[in-house]
Amino acid sequence: MAKVSINLATGSIQKEELIVGIDLGTTNSLVAFINQDKDAQVINDTGKGVLVPSIVHFGPTGDVTVGNEAKEFLINDPQNTIFSVKRLLGRSYKDIENYKDFFSYKVIDDDSESLVKIKVGDKFYTPIELSGLILKELKARAEHALKTPVNRAVITVPAYFNDSQRQATRDAGKLAGLDVLRIVNEPTAASLAYGIGLNPEETKTIAVYDLGGGTFDVSILQIQNGIFEVLSTNGDTFLGGDDFDRAIVEYWIEKNQLNKAELVANHELAQKLRLKAEEAKKAFSHQSLFNEKIGDIWCTLDRNTFEQLILPKVQQTITACENALRDSKLTINQIDEVVMVGGSTRTALVKKMVADFFKRPVHDEVNPDEVVALGAAIQADILAGNRKDILLLDVTPLSLGIETMGGLMDVIIPRNSKVPTKAGRQYTTSKDGQVNMKIAVYQGERDLIKENRKLAEFELKGIPSMPAGFPKVDINFLLNADGILKIQAVELRSGVKQEVEVKPTYGITDDQVEQMLMDSITHAKDDVNQRMLIEARTEGEQMVYTVERFIQKNGSYLSADELAETNNYIASLKAVLANGDKDAILKKIDEVNEFTRPFAERLMDQAISHAMKGKSIE
Ligand code: ADP
Ligand code: MG
């Protein structure tokens, strides 16, 4: 049921704003949405087709074209025609320098550590800006075809993309004026397009084989309770349909006895041959012989020969499947479904070899160029809340916990826990006669609460007066499917209870969450060291407190020398607590323990003998 609202400014009825799914590909990009029949549908802007080649051309007057029109310029104006920009997203020059010959345009290498830039004429562009231009074109086409503004999107990325590449994709969306609600893994989107993972009850293991224009990857996914977990990925970022085209060109060069050096110089002919080869390859989807001419060059090929030409490349993808399977620690018969993605999986030999390897028929019912975008649209629809039948299966992006002694974070619900979830832990007091307990709730991955985000603070009051360590305070966290966190504290001996509710996602953006995760990785080592120091300090302070309390109560059982020496030990423990490192503190704690243990034992003996005489040591 689509929601309808009235635009008060114009008085017109407005459809609920839709969220589109975008497959931002290395070779081709496209947009999909959920139509009124609730089906995922790709956007076909009149006369322009569904697939938008991921190519940007800069004209002499600064005019920018994207897609098929830009592709035309690959032949005549290669320096100003940017293709395969996805390979550069979130990458430094160091990451790509082995492949620099691949790019016919200028990739700048001034600082090998920072992100790459591309030079066109006298201007510099970042891959984010270039991807932004492609996304802008996609947005415009979607708006034109749907006749409605498109401001929100889900964008897909390969499962192997790292944080920096994902962030770059998000930023590109932002530049195009899109609010990127989520970055989704391409194999996850492809599974959704096949309806796999839409039933929260089912558990499935699937292999997604994605052979595009220039890249290949295979992912093994486990889907459980609607959560997609990537068990392993493998592949080759320089292997794809382009290699098939090249193999065909090589074959024609040989058959026509063309001079290779001349061909390298003759860009136009080389490009024409390449396009003809692609045409032949695609023709083999429905015919077994291709026979055409470019000038007086015979471009003849039959399907059998084609399959022999590409066999080594396809074999490489099968080896990658073996590796992915090995890394996932699964066997072939544990894979429930195999999903084919990418234009190059239309090649019959590819389908056959993948099916043979996995020993089962592969899913190829959905158009392999469109399957990722269609799945992204389904994900967008789920996020828009239009599929109430599907539980919005989500995980907590950040850990939730409370502050413990010394300002440390004690995690109760770890990040990536699936929602709804519930967890709890028992705490106690640190001081004798403590009747109130402060409970401060935080989210974040850092060891120190001061680096995390505070969600709530309350006091559990009315704990009966007891010695330190006696009260039992249960703290329970309950995170429901709407993302509301209920925190409950109960002192078990007395039953005193206190409860609060917060919404952890309120007032925090996805970008901030990502930043917090990044920070926790950067500071991991420092954090661990700090935590160990604070834990040692807390232990030392507890020790000072216990020994001083002991002397106060039982000092009369110690000799004057013993008392003086105990005081010395405590003084030196206090000194290291003030400015010593973790090891110095732990060493002093051991010494104090060592020295005071006999007193405790003696006291115990006396307590027993007193008790036998019917007296209390109090
Ligand atoms: P990417 O995900 O890398 O953007 P695509 O999934 O769009 O790439 O795949 C593009 C590749 O698919 C190109 O190499 C193209 O030649 C190839 N392709 C498209 N149709 C066919 C076909 N019928 N047979 C073989 N290859 C095809
Ligand atoms: Mg793709």
Side-chain angles (χ1 to χ4, degrees), residues 259-399:
N259 183 330
K260 241 183 151 174
E262 260 172 54
L263 211 67
V264 172
N266 187 346
H267 281 304
E268 193 166 337
L269 181 59
Q271 194 65 17
K272 275 186 182 158
L273 272 171
R274 232 187 43 74
L275 291 175
K276 196 53 88 185
E278 187 175 7
E279 210 181 306
K281 170 183 80 175
K282 289 183 181 173
F284 293 131
S285 298
H286 48 263
Q287 68 193 56
S288 52
L289 185 69
F290 186 86
N291 194 358
E292 287 191 20
K293 278 181 93 173
I294 300 175
D296 53 4
I297 302 169
W298 277 108
C299 299
T300 311
L301 186 65
D302 63 74
R303 194 194 274 145
N304 279 338
T305 312
F306 168 63
E307 293 190 343
Q308 281 167 30
L309 292 175
I310 63 169
L311 185 66
K313 294 287 170 194
V314 185
Q315 189 52 52
Q316 274 183 34
T317 69
I318 299 298
T319 306
C321 291
E322 274 170 27
N323 293 338
L325 200 63
R326 188 199 54 219
D327 293 346
S328 72
K329 303 195 168 59
L330 296 175
T331 58
I332 280 175
N333 51 32
Q334 288 173 291
I335 304 291
D336 301 312
E337 321 260 0
V338 180
V339 169
M340 300 298 263
V341 180
S344 300
T345 61
R346 286 222 183 73
T347 302
L349 181 71
V350 171
K351 276 189 218 182
K352 183 180 176 304
M353 286 178 67
V354 176
D356 285 352
F357 174 76
F358 285 105
K359 298 196 174 74
R360 72 183 59 244
V362 296
H363 278 293
D364 61 355
E365 309 90 277
V366 179
N367 185 332
D369 307 314
E370 300 178 355
V371 64
V372 167
L374 292 171
I378 294 171
Q379 176 74 49
D381 201 40
I382 296 173
L383 288 177
N386 294 338
R387 295 182 177 225
K388 287 286 191 287
D389 48 327
I390 303 163
L391 186 65
L392 187 61
L393 298 147
D394 227 333
V395 293
T396 53
L398 294 170
S399 300

Side-chain angles (χ1 to χ4, degrees), residues 80-94:
N80 298 317
T81 312
I82 317 300
F83 61 94
S84 271
V85 68
K86 186 173 175 179
R87 296 179 186 284
L88 301 174
L89 260 187
R91 313 247 90 193
S92 69
Y93 189 75
K94 230 172 157 184

Side-chain angles (χ1 to χ4, degrees), residues 410-610:
D410 199 31
V411 171
I412 295 186
I413 297 179
R415 72 178 288 255
N416 274 342
S417 297
K418 64 174 190 250
V419 173
T421 185
K422 157 173 141 200
R425 187 163 301 164
Q426 202 169 80
Y427 297 88
T428 188
T429 51
S430 56
K431 297 262 149 51
D432 286 341
Q434 185 180 335
V435 293
N436 293 336
M437 190 171 190
K438 185 186 86 175
I439 293 150
V441 184
Y442 284 83
Q443 75 183 152
E445 308 314 307
R446 304 290 297 275
D447 284 87
L448 300 183
I449 49 104
K450 71 173 182 356
E451 308 287 357
N452 287 332
R453 183 167 179 257
K454 191 179 203 170
L455 293 176
E457 182 177 319
F458 64 97
E459 215 155 351
L460 180 65
K461 288 186 177 150
I463 301 173
S465 178
M466 284 180 255
F470 269 65
K472 286 185 178 162
V473 179
D474 261 3
I475 296 187
N476 289 303
F477 276 31
L478 212 147
L479 188 62
N480 74 14
D482 297 325
I484 310 253
L485 176 67
K486 191 185 271 185
I487 305 127
Q488 195 187 55
V490 197
E491 200 287 303
L492 295 180
R493 292 176 194 270
S494 60
V496 290
K497 198 167 167 174
Q498 180 80 27
E499 223 176 68
V500 292
E501 270 182 18
V502 282
K503 185 154 189 182
T505 50
Y506 186 77
I508 186 166
T509 65
D510 280 4
D511 287 351
Q512 286 167 315
V513 169
E514 269 171 48
Q515 189 57 49
M516 286 172 81
L517 294 177
M518 294 278 254
D519 286 348
S520 73
I521 296 165
T522 343
H523 297 282
K525 206 174 148 205
D526 288 348
D527 273 11
V528 168
N529 290 337
Q530 288 232 47
R531 172 180 282 277
M532 290 195 306
L533 175 63
I534 290 172
E535 280 173 353
R537 261 195 211 136
T538 304
E539 195 185 333
E541 279 158 11
Q542 269 318 115
M543 170 72 79
V544 170
Y545 179 76
T546 313
V547 174
E548 284 180 340
R549 197 180 51 162
F550 178 88
I551 290 173
Q552 212 179 12
K553 284 188 179 170
N554 308 305
S556 55
Y557 292 98
L558 304 186
S559 71
D561 280 357
E562 282 172 340
L563 256 182
E565 201 161 351
T566 305
N567 282 330
N568 280 342
Y569 268 110
I570 289 301
S572 66
L573 175 56
K574 279 181 173 168
V576 288
L577 282 177
N579 47 32
D581 64 14
K582 179 203 85 186
D583 292 332
I585 295 171
L586 290 179
K587 190 162 163 266
K588 274 281 171 286
I589 292 174
D590 272 351
E591 285 174 16
V592 176
N593 244 333
E594 209 45 34
F595 181 73
T596 55
R597 189 176 308 121
F599 305 161
E601 280 164 9
R602 193 192 315 154
L603 195 76
M604 196 74 92
D605 292 343
Q606 282 177 352
I608 291 167
S609 62
H610 275 276

Side-chain angles (χ1 to χ4, degrees), residues 23-28 86 186 210-213 215 341-343 368-369 372:
D23 173 1
L24 181 62
T26 310
T27 315
N28 296 303
K86 186 173 175 179
E186 287 162 12
D210 184 345
L211 189 60
T215 60
V341 180
D369 307 314
V372 167

